[in-house]
Amino acid sequence: MPRTVYVNGSYLPEAEATVSIFDRGFLMADGVYEVTSVLGGKLIDFGGHAARLERSLTELDMASPVTMDALLEIHRELVRLNSIDEGLIYLQITRGNPGDRDFAFPDPEKTPSTIVLFTQAKPGLADNPTARKGLKVISIDDIRWGRRDIKTVQLLYPSMGKMMAKKAGVDDAWFVEEGEVTEGTSNNAYIVKGGKIITRDLSSDILHGITRAAVLRFAREAQMEVEERSFTVAEAQGADEAFITSASAFVLPVVEIDGVALGNGVPGPVATRLREIYLDESRKAAV
Ligand code: PMP
């Protein structure tokens, strides 16, 4: 069954949905995005994703073509039209089609933003076998731009990072800048030492993960100790456990970094417990 997608106010079969070749998202990567997961047909942490979207738009002086209330209804309608039980909703807003190519931003009064949303069905998203096996990662230089707190569609280097990981026979890569881990290619990175959860503090160096905020809140509520600071690859290799978080992966254990096994090389109890808590609490709060 072809998907029904949303483009600029219309729900259309995917083959009929089009965007101009002059769209600045296509020509300049001048766009922002969000990914919201769906469990049991409901949206996980929609409020967090909507708030971060508004912030990304504001930071780039980009207008939103819809209100956040309307956006919630569009998400729900796409879940309904595509019968999504477990999966994702991808949302992208770009600075639109000024009808030509020019580095300067177009006047937003004359060039409305482009908005596109589509679903990806992912049966088994919550019961992911990788959660029982864990991920292997390599470290690579973080050569991305300096505003990683804005969720833009400039994903070429993260894609290259995934390819470097694939070539090395592992699952993902962690970015390293000035000797310290920033984050994963598409997730936030954590280590656990002596029961304490350590993850890089928020700044423009990393994306402010919506899953990160929820997981740290749940960890603190469960009386786990959390320290927000940077760590090196060597410290991570000597940690008891490591894990990553993202809206589509939730919490996934990391069992190897640059060929060095962590602990006894299997998913650790803290990551496993946090995944359970995150899934339980998020399902309860889903809308
Ligand atoms: N960092 C980066 C670079 C990401 O691409 C993502 C996923 N979009 C994350 C962190 C995790 O963010 P979230 O939990 O909001 O998905």
Side-chain angles (χ1 to χ4, degrees):
M1 198 182 74
R3 264 179 298 195
T4 301
V5 304
Y6 179 91
V7 55
N8 296 329
S10 307
Y11 294 92
L12 297 170
E14 61 183 62
E16 290 171 31
T18 57
V19 172
S20 165
I21 63 159
F22 298 113
D23 194 278
R24 287 181 60 95
F26 178 63
L27 295 180
M28 306 271 186
D30 188 358
V32 298
Y33 76 108
E34 282 295 330
V35 176
T36 304
S37 60
V38 178
L39 290 178
K42 289 186 168 179
L43 303 164
I44 302 300
D45 221 335
F46 178 80
H49 290 284
R52 184 173 61 191
L53 175 67
E54 285 197 296
R55 180 176 179 276
S56 294
L57 290 166
T58 303
E59 291 297 311
L60 296 175
D61 282 328
M62 208 183 284
S64 177
V66 290
T67 64
M68 294 303 131
D69 287 346
L71 207 51
L72 174 57
E73 289 318 309
I74 298 166
H75 277 71
R76 285 178 162 155
E77 185 63 1
L78 284 177
V79 168
R80 194 184 67 77
L81 291 170
N82 295 287
S83 308
I84 304 294
D85 179 48
E86 292 199 352
L88 316 171
I89 303 196
Y90 177 85
L91 150 82
Q92 180 169 330
I93 297 176
T94 76
R95 208 180 304 273
N97 160 27
D100 231 333
R101 181 175 181 272
D102 187 353
F103 277 78
F105 293 174
D107 178 351
E109 298 292 320
K110 297 195 183 116
T111 303
S113 308
T114 298
I115 178 166
V116 165
L117 288 92
F118 57 83
T119 55
Q120 289 190 190
K122 299 247 180 215
L125 186 67
D127 188 26
N128 182 350
T130 307
R132 293 183 283 277
K133 206 169 101 217
L135 299 167
K136 295 179 179 178
V137 303
I138 51 167
S139 62
I140 62 173
D141 262 0
D142 198 340
I143 58 166
R144 296 172 300 161
W145 79 325
R147 289 303 307 275
R148 302 159 193 157
D149 55 315
I150 309 174
K151 197 165 168 64
T152 76
V153 297
Q154 312 175 64
L155 297 175
L156 181 55
Y157 188 63
S159 293
M160 290 168 71
K162 287 269 188 213
M163 294 312 293
M164 289 180 224
K166 219 172 166 173
K167 211 168 154 196
V170 299
D171 304 292
D172 202 0
W174 279 11
F175 294 127
V176 175
E177 188 171 56
E178 291 171 2
E180 287 170 334
V181 174
T182 50
E183 58 190 331
T185 56
S186 60
N187 44 65
N188 291 113
Y190 308 72
I191 57 173
V192 182
K193 187 75 183 171
K196 189 193 289 176
I197 299 161
I198 301 160
T199 193
R200 194 175 176 109
D201 46 317
L202 294 180
S203 70
S204 51
D205 296 340
I206 61 168
L207 187 73
H208 302 189
I210 301 307
T211 321
R212 177 189 183 280
V215 163
L216 294 187
R217 189 172 75 246
F218 298 143
R220 286 178 172 124
E221 283 168 9
Q223 315 303 324
M224 296 179 186
E225 202 183 334
V226 175
E227 194 178 348
E228 294 180 64
R229 64 156 173 90
S230 342
F231 55 85
T232 63
V233 170
E235 187 180 5
Q237 287 173 325
D240 303 325
E241 310 181 26
F243 62 93
I244 56 108
T245 65
S246 78
S248 52
F250 311 123
V251 179
L252 284 180
V254 169
V255 294
E256 185 189 292
I257 304 172
D258 286 340
V260 175
L262 301 194
N264 42 17
V266 294
V270 173
T272 304
R273 178 87 191 101
L274 282 174
R275 181 179 176 87
E276 284 169 10
I277 299 176
Y278 178 80
L279 284 171
D280 284 352
E281 295 298 323
S282 302
R283 279 182 199 279
K284 277 190 231 159
V287 295

